[in-house]
Amino acid sequence: MGRIIMKWGGGLISDKSSLCTADNERIRLLADCVKTLSEMGHDIVIVHGAGSFGHIRAREYRLNEGNIDGLDQAEGINIVRSDMDDLHNLVIRALHPLSVTSHRPRDFVVNTGPDFQGHIERFLLPGIHITFGDVVDCDEPLDFGILSGDDLMLRLSTELPDVSHAIFAMGGAPGLMTSADSSGELIPLWNNNMPFSGHHSQNVDVTGGIFLKMDRADVISQFVDHVWLVDGEHTTRIVEIVEHGHTIGTRIVST
Ligand code: IP8
């Protein structure tokens, strides 16, 4: 059974416009989906985003820019880390009675972006592992920064052995769309030569939104057979990918 690396988008599991508001029902449904996949015998890594538990305050304290002279950001680092712990604990609780191994990036990662330093082997023990986008320490002069869950997806999907699926579960759309308005159609198969429509709320997100995600998904598709962007509100679609190899969503293929 292959290893499944799964991202639960922050906008899917929280209300992005309202500080620290989790969507417990969606978390429960995603957790049930993981239980199903685990019963099928898969090793699973869950990476969850930050949503309104991370982006709003990280922007307020400009944590994505690193250490800024004259600005007291220590309080912001503590608040965002503690809020991320709250969201993380909600996710872990929903996964009960599965036993999960949690990896807080701040405990094993230095630096941000796709080349962050950190031992990915810790995700190799059989079973279910879970991690998330976080505030991590960085080399001077930055001192700290924001590691996106999408960069964790990239490293975990390309460096762990036997990865059969990398699945990005998002909210708000069935997959990648030709246009953001109501005339938009789902793009069922996508490679990085093809256009797509995406909106990055630069006023909210401190990481790269859909453009970062598609960039990372494209790299992953060079290593992993099944790379998908799906509507995480329909968790049966995730199971369909694993059981049947197809569903309603966007499959990302390498060029
Ligand atoms: O939502 C961002 O992670 P992402 C992490 O996966 C924080 O991009 C703390 C804003």
Side-chain angles (χ1 to χ4, degrees), residues 7-11 16 47-51 53-59 63-64 80-81 84 132-136 145-152 204-209 212-213:
K7 171 107 193 256
W8 298 4
K16 268 192 125 168
V47 180
H48 68 78
F53 288 73
H55 290 272
I56 297 173
R57 264 160 167 165
R59 168 161 301 279
L63 302 184
N64 52 319
V80 173
R81 283 182 169 164
M84 286 309 299
F132 55 92
D134 198 10
V135 186
V136 296
I146 301 289
L147 176 71
S148 173
D150 292 331
D151 285 317
L152 287 158
V204 182
D205 277 6
V206 291
T207 50
L212 175 73
K213 204 171 303 303

Side-chain angles (χ1 to χ4, degrees), residues 15-254:
D15 175 352
K16 268 192 125 168
S17 59
S18 170
L19 191 63
C20 296
T21 310
D23 192 324
N24 290 306
E25 180 57 11
R26 288 196 190 151
I27 293 175
R28 188 184 68 76
L29 291 171
L30 286 160
D32 285 348
C33 167
V34 167
K35 288 171 193 170
T36 304
L37 298 174
S38 163
E39 277 162 20
M40 288 162 67
H42 291 277
D43 286 326
I44 299 164
V45 181
I46 302 163
V47 180
H48 68 78
S52 60
F53 288 73
H55 290 272
I56 297 173
R57 264 160 167 165
R59 168 161 301 279
E60 196 180 313
Y61 287 92
R62 298 172 65 182
L63 302 184
N64 52 319
E65 297 174 53
N67 190 356
I68 297 170
D69 259 359
L71 199 65
D72 183 6
Q73 295 163 293
E75 180 187 62
I77 295 172
N78 289 336
I79 293 174
V80 173
R81 283 182 169 164
S82 151
D83 289 346
M84 286 309 299
D85 284 345
D86 289 346
L87 178 62
H88 192 55
N89 288 333
L90 287 177
V91 173
I92 290 176
R93 228 173 291 146
L95 288 161
H96 182 80
L98 293 180
S99 99
V100 298
T101 312
S102 160
H103 309 264
R104 300 190 310 179
R106 77 195 73 145
D107 298 331
F108 76 100
V109 169
V110 176
N111 293 331
T112 62
D115 301 320
F116 68 80
Q117 292 153 36
H119 289 290
I120 298 297
E121 305 85 71
R122 58 192 290 141
F123 290 84
L124 269 178
L125 285 177
I128 295 175
H129 295 260
I130 178 157
T131 187
F132 55 92
D134 198 10
V135 186
V136 296
D137 291 342
C138 292
D139 294 332
E140 286 179 8
L142 287 174
D143 296 337
F144 54 82
I146 301 289
L147 176 71
S148 173
D150 292 331
D151 285 317
L152 287 158
M153 283 295 288
L154 172 70
R155 295 287 296 277
L156 292 162
S157 303
T158 59
E159 290 179 26
L160 291 178
D162 310 320
V163 176
S164 55
H165 297 80
I167 300 173
F168 293 84
M170 309 295 302
L176 211 53
M177 307 301 284
T178 54
S179 132
D181 58 34
S182 56
S183 71
E185 286 175 23
L186 173 68
I187 303 171
L189 202 63
W190 182 83
N191 69 49
N192 79 347
N193 290 329
M194 296 166 65
F196 68 94
S197 165
H199 176 68
H200 176 214
S201 4
Q202 250 162 355
N203 303 334
V204 182
D205 277 6
V206 291
T207 50
I210 187 71
F211 298 101
L212 175 73
K213 204 171 303 303
M214 296 322 291
D215 185 81
R216 301 306 184 250
D218 170 49
V219 178
I220 296 170
S221 72
Q222 293 158 35
F223 297 80
V224 176
D225 195 17
H226 277 276
V227 184
W228 287 80
L229 181 72
V230 292
D231 185 347
E233 285 184 55
H234 299 271
T235 53
T236 49
R237 295 181 188 169
I238 297 172
V239 179
E240 274 169 18
I241 294 170
V242 176
E243 278 194 317
H244 308 301
H246 55 85
T247 194
I248 299 169
T250 300
R251 184 172 179 182
I252 294 100
V253 288
S254 66

